[in-house]
Every structure is written in C-alpha cells, then in structure tokens.
C-alpha cells in the first residue's frame, strides 16, 4: 500500500475537505473540534481557579456578604429569605434567587466555598457550549466553532468565570435567555416564551442591570413575525411573578422598607456612565483594565512575562482596535437595517432578523441605562457576552476580499494565542501576589488558611476576636477593606459553622501592618503579605 505524498497542488483539496467536514455538525471532525474548544476553555478557567484562586481584588467584600447571606438563608433568618445580597440604589436586590444559587453551589461543593468556586467555573465552561448553540442560529457550523473558540479563550469571559460574585452567573443566564428568545422568534406558538419570561424575571435578582433588558425583550416580542403561545406566555408571567412573592411578603411585613430606600435614593450623576460606549469594546479586547490593583502591578506582569510591559500594552491596544472594528462594523449594519424604517420595525425584522435581534439587545439596554447617570462598569456587559462574541465572526464573514480575510484570520489567530498566554501568565502572576507579595490579597483559600492557623493556636472551642490596629484603620481604603475581610470571614464562620460565638473561652488577636511589628515584643501567630497577627491572650 503506497502513501500519496502531500504536494502544494493537493493542499487546497485537503483544506477544502477539512472545511467541508467542519460544516457538518454531526461529523467527527466537527464534534472533535468542539470538544477540544470546550476542554481548552475549561482548562483556562480551571487554572483561574487553581492558580488565581478565583480572586478578583474588587469583589471579595461582596462575595463575603453573599456567603453570609447564604448561611443566613440556611439558618432561616428572615431578612435573607426575601432580600438579596447585591446592593442597589440604597437598597438591596428584590429577592433571594442569587442567595439560593449560592446555597446550591455551596451544597454541590460539600460546604466548601473553594469547591463552590470550582463549580461556578464548570457552569461557565458550559456557557461556551451555549455560545456555540447561539452562534449556530446565525452562522454556518464552521463559523459557529470559530465563535466558540474565541469565547473559550477570550480574557474577559475567562476572568469573569471563576469566583462567587453575583455578575459571574449572568453570561450563563443570558445565553439561556437569548436561545429561548430566538426560538420564540422563529416558531409560531413556541413554548420557549415561558422560559423567556421566567429568565427575564430571575436575572434582576442576580444583578439589577437585568431590568434594562426587559424593554428590549418586550420590543422584540412586539416586532417578531411569529405568533406567541398565549397559554405558555401567561404561565411564564405567573412563574416570573412568583419569583418575587418572597420579596412582596417580606416588604409588606417590613413596611416596604427596602423599596422606600431604593425610591428615595438620589445618587450624584457620574461621567462614568459614558462607559456604556467603551465597555463593549473593552470586553471584546485583551485589555486587563481593573484586573490589577495598580499600574505598577500591570507593569510588573508585562516586564516579567512579556519581556516588557510595552509589549503587553501593544497587544492590548491592537485587540482594543479589533474590538472597535467588530462593534463598529455591526453597528453600521444595524443602522443600515433601520435606515428609513423606524416606523416599520416588524418589516425590518423580517428582512434582517439576526441583525435586528442582536442589535436591539445590544443597543436598547445601554441607551436606557444612559439617563440614570450612574457608573457603568465593564462587568455589567456580562449578560450580553454570548451576543457580543458573535461580532468578530460576523465581521469576518462580511469581508469580500480573500486577501483581507486571510489577514484578519491571521490577526485573530495571533490575538487568540496572545490571550491564552496572557491568561496563563496573569493567573501565575496573581498566585505569586497572593502567596508571597507584601500586599494582602484575600482569596477564600487564603482566608480559610488564616482561619485554620488561628484555630490551631486558639483551640477548637475558643471564640476568636480580631481587632484592627490603629495603623490598619488609618491605612488607605484599599488596604483597610482587604484586611477587614479576615475579621469578617472569621465572624461568618464562627457564627454559622463552628458556632463558637457563644463560647465562654475567648481569645483576642491584634491585626496590624507587618512593617510596624517590633521584634521580640509580642507573640506573632501569623506574619506575611504585609500584615501580622499578634496573640493578645485569653480573656474572660
């Protein structure tokens, strides 16, 4: 049996055969590539859990309050049964669904927060598959794979996949919502309308930014050419309303306290509301933005892993330019579809269903947020990640010139490789910061390690009290808030898990900045990461 050598003349035929097989959703090559994409996406997210410890430096305080609410919910505390942990306009989220979600992940992790963080990463790995399914609605199978590959390796979806922070579940819920809504738009009397209503009701209990998507969903339902299943629509509305019954009952019993605080809130206008323009571009890029605590740390990352921070910034700027190109190209298509047809949106939708569907869900919520004048953080766009990451391949498909298309494919491939390296290097760098730097970074793993150190010193039945020294209380807010998590984590654990708050034996520790500890003056139980914990002895 002879093996025919591969020649230059045979390469186009081989390439075309491979592409043909990738265009068959049920073919082995297609399924193999899809599996490989999901595995790579999982490995990046797992590394964020393993090395990066699921840590986001600006999220840990919210995560601790969410942990407290989850344990309060399990203990049957009244407030946790009808209010959510996320703060909103002077009040709190209207309902316990985020807390219930926390409890489920905690149970799945056997009571360990660290294990719960792992399961959050698994859930967001599944979001890659949801993005693939969504891409298949608008693109051919080959380009759906490309979309899934971009999403699996893009820095922002990976970064916002691992942790126990309330926005982190929104990409998964958004993917389910958009798949259900698209099904309604393509089939008469679709039962998926039930899930559209229920998901639209649930999402604001994770993050109130979900409210701004409800008008966009209603607008799409009004202009879709398909006929709604009124029976399942009514069922969805009833189910969505039922989600808010605990809140209504709780508010009635507490004289509408939370609702009045929300309505009475008058926050100052913020120019950062204008980030509704830049945020979609940011998340489509490789720009680490607020991932780092300071520019100095970003510079150290670049110098250590890229030869120079200039290289890191250079690639980030190129990726940001790519993001602007993708978004600008789509908005141009959206404006063309609407040109002269504002009063005939149903007809416009029939002519350009994909552009109208994606465009309305991208643009309308952002325009509705603008009059609030409040800060718009990049993470708020997480709900539309499954739609935003369709745009690179949409742009690629629009290119007519074979040369331009090849250049852009090369550009995308290079940025994808850069993204993978960026994520691995970032999480490796973050691990070094958590373990060895002179700044305390409070990951859940770090907090649990500290708790065990103090418990070993104090004894099993001793209530541990953490006092913050004056040098900590007078330190910059970022340091103060991070260090405060040690006492907060201990209080939560002792109140709800070890139940040592009522113990007759108490032991106090003083937490102060490591640089201010004088040698030999006191017993230091823990020293590292810029802090020291000093034994103050047993007290009655």
């Amino acid at each position: 049996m002879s093996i025919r050598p591969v020649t230059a003349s045979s390469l186009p035929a081989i390439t075309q055969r491979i592409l043909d097989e990738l265009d068959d959703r049920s073919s082995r090559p297609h399924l193999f590539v899809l599996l490989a994409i999901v595995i790579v996406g999982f490995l990046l997210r797992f590394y964020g859990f393993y090395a990066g410890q699921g840590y986001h430096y600006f999220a840990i305080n919210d995560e601790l309050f969410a942990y407290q609410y989850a344990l309060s919910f399990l203990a049957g505390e009244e407030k946790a049964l009808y209010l959510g942990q996320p703060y909103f306009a002077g009040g709190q989220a209207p309902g316990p669904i985020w807390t219930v979600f926390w409890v489920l992940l905690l149970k799945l992790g056997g009571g360990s927060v660290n294990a719960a963080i792992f399961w959050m990463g698994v859930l967001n790995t599944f979001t890659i598959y949801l993005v693939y399914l969504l891409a298949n609605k608008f693109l051919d199978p080959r380009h759906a794979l490309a979309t899934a590959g971009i999403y699996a390796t893009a820095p922002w979806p990976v970064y916002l996949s691992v942790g126990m922070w309330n926005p982190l579940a929104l990409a998964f819920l958004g993917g389910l919502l958009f798949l259900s809504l698209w099904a309604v738009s393509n089939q008469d009397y679709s039962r998926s309308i039930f899930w559209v209503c229920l998901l639209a009701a649930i999402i604001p209990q994770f993050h109130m930014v979900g409210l701004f998507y409800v008008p966009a969903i209603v607008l799409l339902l009004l202009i879709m050419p398909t006929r709604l299943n009124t029976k399942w629509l009514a069922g969805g509305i009833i189910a969505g309303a039922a989600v808010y019954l605990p809140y209504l009952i709780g508010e009635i019993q507490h004289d509408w306290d939370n609702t009045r605080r929300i309505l009475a809130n008058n926050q100052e206008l913020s120019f950062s509301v204008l980030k509704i323009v830049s945020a979609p571009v940011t998340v489509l890029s490789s720009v680490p933005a607020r991932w780092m605590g300071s520019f100095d740390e970003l510079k150290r990352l670049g110098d250590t892993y890229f030869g120079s921070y200039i290289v890191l910034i250079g690639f980030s700027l190129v990726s940001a330019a790519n993001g602007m190109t993708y978004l600008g190209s789509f908005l141009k298509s959206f404006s063309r579809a609407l040109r002269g047809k504002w009063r005939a949106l149903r007809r416009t939708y029939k002519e350009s269903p994909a552009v109208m569907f994606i465009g309305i869900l991208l643009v309308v919520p952002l325009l509705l947020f603008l009059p609030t004048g409040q800060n718009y953080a990049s993470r708020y766009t997480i709900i539309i990640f499954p739609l935003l990451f369709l745009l690179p391949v949409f742009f690629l498909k629009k290119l007519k010139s074979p040369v331009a298309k090849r250049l852009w494919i090369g550009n995308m491939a290079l940025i994808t490789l850069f993204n993978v390296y960026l994520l691995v290097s970032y999480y490796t760098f973050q691990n070094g910061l958590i373990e060895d730097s002179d700044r305390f970074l409070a990951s859940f793993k770090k907090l649990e390690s500290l708790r065990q150190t103090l418990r070993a010193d104090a004894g099993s039945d001793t209530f541990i009290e953490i006092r913050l020294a004056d040098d900590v209380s007078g330190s910059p807010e970022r340091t103060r808030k991070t260090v405060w998590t040690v006492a907060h984590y201990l209080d939560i654990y002792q109140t709800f898990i070890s139940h040592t708050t009522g113990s007759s034996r108490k032991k106090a520790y003083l937490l102060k900045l490591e640089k201010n500890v004088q040698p030999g003056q006191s017993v230091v139980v823990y020293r590292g990461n810029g802090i020291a914990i000093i034994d103050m002895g047993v007290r009655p």
Side-chain angles (χ1 to χ4, degrees):
M1 177 180 175
S2 61
I3 299 176
R4 183 178 300 175
V6 177
T7 63
S9 60
S10 65
L11 279 175
I14 295 172
T15 303
Q16 188 58 50
R17 186 169 69 250
I18 292 172
L19 293 177
D20 289 342
E21 289 181 323
L22 292 180
D23 271 330
D24 180 0
R25 292 187 183 93
S26 60
S27 70
R28 286 186 178 180
H30 184 95
L31 295 175
F32 176 81
V33 171
L34 176 59
L35 179 62
I37 287 169
V38 172
I39 289 173
V40 169
F42 170 74
L43 290 175
L44 288 173
R45 286 155 178 81
F46 178 78
Y47 197 63
F49 160 76
Y50 176 75
Q53 299 185 23
Y55 175 74
H56 307 87
Y57 88 91
F58 46 82
I60 184 61
N61 290 286
D62 284 344
E63 290 176 315
L64 277 174
F65 276 114
Y67 183 34
Q68 181 176 335
Y69 260 74
L71 296 178
S72 297
F73 182 89
L74 288 172
E77 290 191 7
E78 188 178 20
K79 186 178 180 181
L81 296 176
Y82 79 96
L83 286 181
Q85 164 269 322
Y87 290 104
F88 172 71
Q92 290 171 260
I97 297 297
W98 163 236
T99 302
V100 172
F101 184 82
W102 233 98
V103 168
L104 290 174
L105 289 185
L106 203 57
K107 292 285 188 181
L108 197 60
S112 163
V113 179
N114 212 43
I117 291 172
F118 168 80
W119 287 111
M120 179 71 89
V122 171
L123 180 77
N124 279 312
T125 298
F126 185 73
T127 306
I128 299 170
Y129 182 65
L130 295 183
V131 170
Y132 164 78
L133 292 178
L134 194 61
N136 266 299
K137 308 299 181 183
F138 306 109
L139 300 162
D140 58 76
R142 184 199 321 168
H143 287 95
L145 285 175
T147 302
I150 291 170
Y151 185 83
T153 57
W156 278 87
V158 175
Y159 179 69
L160 293 177
S161 283
V162 186
M164 291 299 287
W165 195 23
N166 58 301
L168 269 55
L170 290 183
F172 171 76
L173 294 173
L176 292 177
L177 173 63
F178 303 141
L179 282 168
S180 301
L181 190 57
W182 182 254
V184 172
S185 74
N186 282 272
Q187 181 183 345
D188 286 334
Y189 308 117
S190 172
R191 295 181 179 181
S192 295
I193 188 62
F194 174 88
W195 297 110
V196 171
C197 297
L198 182 58
L199 287 164
I202 286 173
I203 286 172
Q205 293 198 24
F206 284 79
H207 200 295
M208 292 295 279
V209 74
L211 286 177
F212 295 92
Y213 288 84
V214 174
I217 292 168
V218 172
L219 176 59
L220 280 170
L221 293 176
L222 290 174
I223 67 174
M224 285 175 181
T226 51
R227 286 166 286 188
L228 294 178
N229 188 321
T230 54
K231 178 181 175 181
W232 285 88
L233 172 63
I237 292 173
I238 292 170
V243 166
Y244 288 87
L245 278 178
Y247 181 72
L248 292 174
I249 294 169
E251 282 292 271
I252 290 170
Q253 293 174 342
H254 293 84
D255 193 28
W256 298 94
D257 176 66
N258 190 68
T259 304
R260 285 189 288 106
R261 280 189 286 123
I262 291 173
L263 295 177
N265 183 66
N266 290 308
Q267 294 183 343
E268 294 183 2
L269 298 181
S270 171
F271 283 110
S272 60
V273 70
L274 298 177
K275 285 195 292 185
I276 61 170
V277 177
S278 63
V281 172
T282 299
V283 300
L284 280 170
S285 75
S286 310
V287 178
R290 289 188 65 203
W291 295 15
M292 299 292 183
S294 66
F295 178 75
D296 180 62
E297 289 175 357
L298 179 67
K299 187 173 181 294
R300 284 169 55 198
L301 171 68
D303 290 342
T304 303
Y305 291 95
F306 294 85
S308 168
Y309 75 97
I310 300 298
V311 176
L312 172 58
I313 291 175
F315 268 100
S316 297
L317 290 175
V318 170
S319 71
N322 287 354
M324 290 177 64
T325 302
Y326 304 145
L327 185 62
S329 174
F330 178 80
L331 291 178
K332 186 177 179 181
S333 298
F334 184 52
S335 62
R336 280 179 178 172
L338 286 171
R339 190 172 299 159
K341 301 175 185 177
W342 289 92
R343 297 183 180 181
L345 290 180
R346 186 181 291 268
R347 189 184 72 189
T348 307
Y349 189 92
K350 286 182 179 179
E351 294 172 353
S352 308
V355 171
M356 289 295 291
F357 181 90
I358 297 170
I360 287 173
L361 287 167
L362 288 182
V363 173
V364 171
L366 296 181
L367 291 179
L368 291 174
F369 190 93
L370 185 60
T372 69
Q374 302 306 307
N375 173 54
Y376 189 87
S378 298
R379 64 181 179 274
Y380 292 178
T381 58
I382 188 171
I383 190 173
I384 51 173
F385 275 12
L387 296 178
L388 273 174
F389 282 87
L390 295 170
L391 304 190
V393 178
F394 266 48
F395 170 77
L396 189 64
K397 286 206 71 176
K398 283 177 61 177
L399 293 175
K400 303 299 182 185
S401 166
V403 174
K405 185 167 287 193
R406 283 196 296 271
L407 288 173
W408 271 100
I409 289 173
N411 176 5
M412 289 172 152
L414 182 61
I415 291 296
T416 298
L417 291 174
F418 167 77
N419 288 343
V420 172
Y421 182 73
L422 170 65
L423 287 164
V424 172
S425 59
Y426 169 74
Y427 285 126
T428 304
F429 180 74
Q430 180 166 279
N431 182 264
L433 290 178
I434 293 172
E435 298 299 333
D436 303 316
S437 77
D438 58 0
R439 184 162 69 89
F440 182 73
L441 301 182
S443 69
F444 273 104
K445 183 179 178 182
K446 190 78 172 181
L447 290 172
E448 176 59 17
S449 175
L450 261 178
R451 185 197 69 80
Q452 291 180 14
T453 298
L454 294 174
R455 178 56 62 203
D457 180 75
S460 59
D461 296 324
T462 304
F463 173 73
I464 298 171
E465 178 188 0
I466 298 288
R467 301 175 185 175
L468 299 185
D470 291 340
D471 60 353
V472 173
S473 300
S475 60
E477 183 183 17
R478 188 181 70 179
T479 301
R480 195 169 63 250
K481 288 178 70 174
T482 305
V483 170
W484 174 77
T485 59
V486 178
H488 192 191
Y489 181 77
L490 268 168
D491 286 345
I492 294 169
Y493 202 95
Q494 292 181 125
T495 301
F496 295 102
I497 298 178
S498 64
H499 303 289
T500 50
T501 50
S503 175
S504 59
R505 190 172 187 270
K506 303 179 187 297
K507 191 166 186 180
Y509 295 88
L510 183 68
L511 194 157
K512 65 187 304 178
L513 299 181
E514 186 181 10
K515 64 183 180 181
N516 295 330
V517 175
Q518 299 299 320
Q521 288 187 343
S522 50
V523 178
V524 179
V525 178
Y526 174 85
R527 184 195 296 267
N529 304 117
I531 64 170
I533 301 177
I534 298 168
D535 184 353
M536 296 183 69
V538 177
R539 62 182 181 82

